[in-house]
Amino acid sequence: MRTPVIAGNWKLYKTSGEAKGLIEALLPLIKDVKGVEVIVAPVFTILHRVGELIGGSRVKLSAQNCFWEEEGAFTGEVSPGMLLDAGCSHVIIGHSERRQYFAETDETVNRKTKAAIAAGLKAIVCVGETLEEREEGVMNDVLTRQVTKGLDGLTSLQAVIIAYEPVWAIGTGKTATEAQAQEAHRLIRTVISQKFGVDSSDKVRILYGGSVKPDNVKGLMSQPDIDGALVGGASLKPESFAAIVNFGK
Ligand code: PGA
């Protein structure tokens, strides 16, 4: 039995004042939900503040990125240990926007993932094909490569959550159909089972991301290999994020 995860990726949105309004409105709306892990991922500068706002609630704190070194002369970077110190339990790694705009590669994803786990964080490792790759018929190769290289060298997946986010569905309003998402999730689970064994592949949570909204979350969550959602746009409003967290109602 895999506990579902609903994670809100706030991207480059929300000042501390805005985050306060969002969290204060969100908490009462999700307080009765049982058996769902809820995570929010604000920008670095307000991690500590959001950590205080979520306080003893069920909501967990994630960063959106990290560096792989623990400390040193690396201006502008933030280390996994520093994220832990700021109150994070999770970190998103290899989001497609980082791959697209900030030169993230499978290799950097792998280094970051290993460093995050070594520091005691849980890594939400993102994979996903572009529209071009899907149309060229290389989706399976791309996902296999991203999963294999991204998780290379790990001995356990206990601290790993995978997020499948087809790049063409992110922020576009185009969701993958339930069948398309299920097919990709199945493939990812098979790759994981070949690399880490059936026990790991049965246990690892695979989230879907890409235009998840209150009205499509239920259908996606009904698929056997979809264990949650990584939500961008719809996580910025308390009502829509709460409705997604409440998908089981
Ligand atoms: P979206 O973003 O829900 O706005 O499509 C998802 C993501 O990029 O994590």
Side-chain angles (χ1 to χ4, degrees), residues 9 11 95 97 165 169-171 209-212 230-233:
N9 173 11
K11 306 193 179 184
H95 189 280
E97 285 149 18
E165 299 204 305
I170 296 177
S211 301
V212 175
L230 182 53
V231 187

Coordinates of all heavy atoms in Angstrom, one line a residue, residues 9 11 95 97 165 169-171 209-212 230-233, ligand 1:
N9 N 4.1 22.6 -5.9 CA 5.4 23.3 -6.4 C 5.0 24.7 -6.7 O 4.4 25.0 -7.7 CB 5.9 22.6 -7.6 CG 7.1 23.2 -8.3 OD1 7.6 24.2 -7.7 ND2 7.4 22.8 -9.5
K11 N 6.9 27.1 -7.5 CA 7.8 27.7 -8.5 C 8.2 29.1 -8.0 O 8.4 29.4 -6.8 CB 7.1 27.8 -9.8 CG 6.6 26.4 -10.2 CD 6.2 26.2 -11.7 CE 5.7 24.8 -12.0 NZ 5.4 24.6 -13.4
H95 N 13.5 19.2 -11.9 CA 12.3 19.6 -12.6 C 12.6 20.0 -14.0 O 13.7 20.5 -14.3 CB 11.7 20.8 -11.8 CG 10.3 21.2 -12.3 ND1 10.1 21.9 -13.4 CD2 9.1 20.8 -11.8 CE1 8.8 22.1 -13.6 NE2 8.2 21.4 -12.6
E97 N 11.8 22.4 -15.7 CA 12.1 23.8 -15.9 C 13.6 24.0 -15.6 O 14.3 24.9 -16.2 CB 11.2 24.7 -15.1 CG 9.9 24.9 -15.7 CD 8.7 25.1 -14.7 OE1 8.9 25.4 -13.6 OE2 7.6 24.8 -15.1
E165 N 6.5 14.0 -15.2 CA 5.9 15.3 -15.7 C 6.2 15.4 -17.1 O 7.2 15.9 -17.5 CB 6.4 16.5 -14.9 CG 6.2 16.4 -13.4 CD 6.2 17.8 -12.8 OE1 7.2 18.5 -13.0 OE2 5.2 18.2 -12.2
A169 N 2.8 19.0 -20.9 CA 1.6 19.1 -20.1 C 1.8 20.1 -18.9 O 0.8 20.4 -18.2 CB 1.2 17.8 -19.5
I170 N 3.0 20.7 -18.8 CA 3.3 21.5 -17.6 C 2.9 23.0 -17.9 O 3.4 23.6 -18.9 CB 4.7 21.5 -17.2 CG1 5.1 20.1 -16.7 CG2 5.0 22.5 -16.1 CD1 6.6 19.9 -16.4
G171 N 1.9 23.5 -17.1 CA 1.5 24.9 -17.3 C 0.8 25.2 -18.5 O 0.5 26.3 -18.9
G209 N 2.6 14.9 -12.7 CA 2.6 16.3 -12.7 C 2.3 16.9 -14.1 O 2.8 16.3 -15.1
G210 N 1.6 18.0 -14.2 CA 1.3 18.6 -15.5 C -0.2 18.9 -15.6 O -1.0 18.0 -15.9
S211 N -0.5 20.2 -15.2 CA -1.9 20.7 -15.3 C -2.8 19.8 -14.5 O -4.0 19.6 -14.9 CB -2.3 20.8 -16.7 OG -1.5 21.7 -17.4
V212 N -2.4 19.3 -13.3 CA -3.3 18.7 -12.4 C -4.2 19.7 -11.8 O -3.8 20.8 -11.3 CB -2.6 17.9 -11.3 CG1 -3.6 17.3 -10.3 CG2 -1.7 16.8 -11.9
L230 N 2.2 16.1 -8.4 CA 3.0 17.3 -8.2 C 2.3 18.4 -9.0 O 2.1 18.4 -10.2 CB 4.4 17.1 -8.8 CG 5.5 18.2 -8.6 CD1 5.6 18.6 -7.2 CD2 6.8 17.8 -9.1
V231 N 1.9 19.4 -8.2 CA 0.9 20.4 -8.7 C 1.6 21.8 -8.7 O 2.1 22.2 -7.7 CB -0.3 20.5 -7.7 CG1 -1.4 21.4 -8.3 CG2 -0.9 19.1 -7.4
G232 N 1.5 22.4 -9.9 CA 2.1 23.7 -10.0 C 1.0 24.8 -9.8 O 0.6 25.1 -8.7
G233 N 0.5 25.3 -10.9 CA -0.5 26.4 -10.9 C -1.6 26.2 -9.9 O -1.9 27.2 -9.1
Ligands
PGA1 P1 1.4 22.8 -13.5 O1 2.9 22.5 -13.1 O2 0.6 22.0 -12.5 O3 1.3 24.3 -13.4 O4 1.3 22.2 -14.9 C1 3.4 21.2 -12.6 C2 4.8 21.3 -12.3 O5 5.6 21.8 -13.1 O6 5.3 20.7 -11.3

